Amino acid sequence: MRFFTSVHLLLLVYIISALVWWEVSLQKQSVRIYEQEVITLRSQVDSLREPVVYNNKLAPLRHELSLRTSQYIGEGATFLIVILIGAFVVYTSFVRRVMLSRQQNNFMLSVTHELKSPIAAMKLNLQTLEKHQLDEDKRMQLVSRCIKEANRLNDLCNNILIASQIEGRQYKQTRETFDISEMLEMIVKDYAIRYPRKFEEEITPGCSIIGDRVMLQMAINNLLENAIKYTRADKPIRVTLHTKQDIAILQIIDQGEGIADNEKKKIFNKFYRIGNEESRKSKGTGLGLYLTNKIVLQHKGRITVKDNTPRGAIFEISLPIQ
């Protein structure tokens, strides 16, 4: 990156220097042409004997000099602006490509980890079931863990598949009227079984919207998984839903580490994750919040993130109600 920046800057300086040199050269040539024309005029008209005639013929020469100067300056300024715009576009395109390449590399690292971890866990649990005679409670506990890891794999595959379909504009969104209050209560109830005493809810009943039920459920699941990931086990997660005029406002409030102001807009970018993939302890692929944002926008809604007090983050989704 530094090498490209240095070469790019040197080329830009060289091109601008060459442009300035040609501009100066043309201006000098124009002045020499004017001086030669003046000498020719003086040989034809005596400025002392016929000053009026001399001045009348000198005026067009000065006007042509002025026009050439204006032309050179205008053309030089135009070329300079085009060069600067081109250099800016090339540099920003290269930077975006490098950043995307790094994000894709981080994505591959995280996906590899995300795939290996549940597979290894399920393999270990199944091997334990195969080799040991366990009582029913322990068997059910291991089976439950396998199901949990399988659900995790399923969510990861769904995120990757939906992200690919959205990027390729292949996903066809369904439109149906459904009760988002009822759907949210079912989602929170399911998570509460998996994470007892973790969730607090305040859901206004009877809130209906028009949209894709499956996609919105995926968006909410992504936010809940994100909140669980960054919230300590002894801290609750609060889920609220209320209406304001013709808008349904869903909030997922955690008490995690929070999100820095300069990261709040970046977290919805594809593959983006806070920190470095090699040193990061939290799980994820950088697709969850990206997909959530895309899904909310497809439903003509808006998603924002705010600071919680005293710590944590508040993810807020606003959707038009029926």
Side-chain angles (χ1 to χ4, degrees):
M1 185 65 187
R2 292 181 179 178
F3 175 76
F4 174 80
T5 302
S6 301
V7 172
H8 185 270
L9 185 60
L10 287 174
L11 286 175
L12 181 61
V13 171
Y14 171 77
I15 293 172
I16 292 177
S17 300
L19 178 64
V20 172
W21 183 82
W22 278 106
E23 179 76 18
V24 173
S25 299
L26 287 174
Q27 186 61 32
K28 288 182 178 179
Q29 184 67 26
S30 177
V31 171
R32 284 196 292 268
I33 292 173
Y34 169 75
E35 291 174 348
Q36 187 63 41
E37 290 175 338
V38 171
I39 293 173
T40 302
L41 177 62
R42 286 177 179 174
S43 66
Q44 296 175 351
V45 180
D46 192 338
S47 60
L48 296 178
R49 294 181 179 180
E50 300 175 291
V52 176
V53 177
Y54 178 81
N55 290 330
N56 289 338
K57 292 187 177 183
L58 182 63
L61 300 180
R62 290 177 176 174
H63 181 66
E64 290 180 5
L65 175 64
S66 177
L67 287 178
R68 286 196 298 269
T69 301
S70 299
Q71 179 183 355
Y72 297 154
I73 293 175
E75 291 177 351
T78 301
F79 283 130
L80 179 60
I81 292 172
V82 170
I83 290 169
L84 291 176
I85 292 175
F88 175 77
V89 170
V90 170
Y91 184 77
T92 53
S93 298
F94 181 80
V95 170
R96 283 197 297 268
R97 182 177 292 273
V98 170
M99 292 181 64
L100 181 60
S101 176
R102 289 176 180 174
Q103 290 173 350
Q104 288 175 336
N105 182 58
N106 286 343
F107 172 73
M108 293 303 298
L109 290 173
S110 62
V111 165
T112 302
H113 176 75
E114 288 287 292
L115 290 174
K116 288 177 65 177
S117 296
I119 291 173
M122 286 190 293
K123 182 179 179 181
L124 179 61
N125 291 331
L126 292 173
Q127 287 176 337
T128 303
L129 288 171
E130 181 185 29
K131 295 180 180 179
H132 302 279
Q133 294 294 329
L134 304 175
D135 57 55
E136 188 63 22
D137 290 340
K138 290 184 178 179
R139 287 176 59 87
M140 291 303 299
Q141 185 178 10
L142 292 178
V143 171
S144 176
R145 289 178 182 175
C146 287
I147 293 174
K148 182 179 178 180
E149 295 298 335
N151 288 334
R152 181 176 156 195
L153 274 176
N154 184 63
D155 291 340
L156 173 62
C157 293
N158 283 338
N159 280 345
I160 296 175
L161 177 62
I162 295 299
S164 176
Q165 289 178 341
I166 290 177
E167 285 292 308
R169 299 181 180 180
Q170 297 174 343
Y171 183 82
K172 295 182 179 180
Q173 182 181 355
T174 62
R175 304 286 294 177
E176 61 176 321
T177 302
F178 64 93
D179 191 331
I180 191 174
S181 302
E182 180 182 343
M183 183 186 77
L184 187 58
E185 287 177 354
M186 292 178 61
I187 293 173
V188 175
K189 183 178 180 181
D190 178 63
Y191 273 89
I193 294 174
R194 294 158 55 188
Y195 303 93
R197 297 182 297 278
K198 184 68 174 177
F199 290 90
E200 300 175 354
E201 61 177 271
E202 183 181 337
I203 301 173
T204 301
C207 181
S208 297
I209 66 171
I210 299 176
D212 191 320
R213 184 187 184 98
V214 174
M215 294 292 280
L216 281 174
Q217 184 171 345
M218 178 183 291
I220 296 172
N221 286 342
N222 285 337
L223 291 181
L224 290 174
E225 290 288 347
N226 196 64
I228 293 169
K229 188 187 307 178
Y230 293 103
T231 302
R232 284 170 41 186
D234 59 336
K235 296 294 182 181
I237 296 172
R238 185 171 178 81
V239 180
T240 69
L241 176 68
H242 63 276
T243 59
K244 184 177 181 180
Q245 296 179 351
D246 295 331
I247 301 296
I249 300 176
L250 165 65
Q251 289 185 333
I252 295 177
I253 307 167
D254 65 59
Q255 298 185 35
E257 296 297 325
I259 301 172
D261 290 338
N262 62 329
E263 302 279 0
K264 284 185 171 65
K265 293 183 179 179
K266 298 178 183 178
I267 59 174
F268 296 109
N269 294 339
K270 189 177 182 181
F271 302 138
Y272 186 82
R273 298 187 68 210
I274 299 174
N276 184 277
E277 197 67 44
E278 297 178 355
S279 61
R280 187 184 295 111
K281 296 181 180 180
S282 61
K283 302 173 183 178
T285 60
L287 284 178
L289 292 179
Y290 165 78
L291 278 176
T292 299
N293 183 51
K294 286 286 188 181
I295 292 169
V296 172
L297 291 176
Q298 284 183 347
H299 286 78
K300 300 180 181 179
R302 185 169 63 96
I303 182 171
T304 58
V305 57
K306 301 181 289 187
D307 293 328
N308 189 20
T309 303
R311 60 183 297 175
I314 302 173
F315 282 87
E316 181 177 287
I317 295 177
S318 301
L319 294 169
I321 61 178
Q322 185 181 4

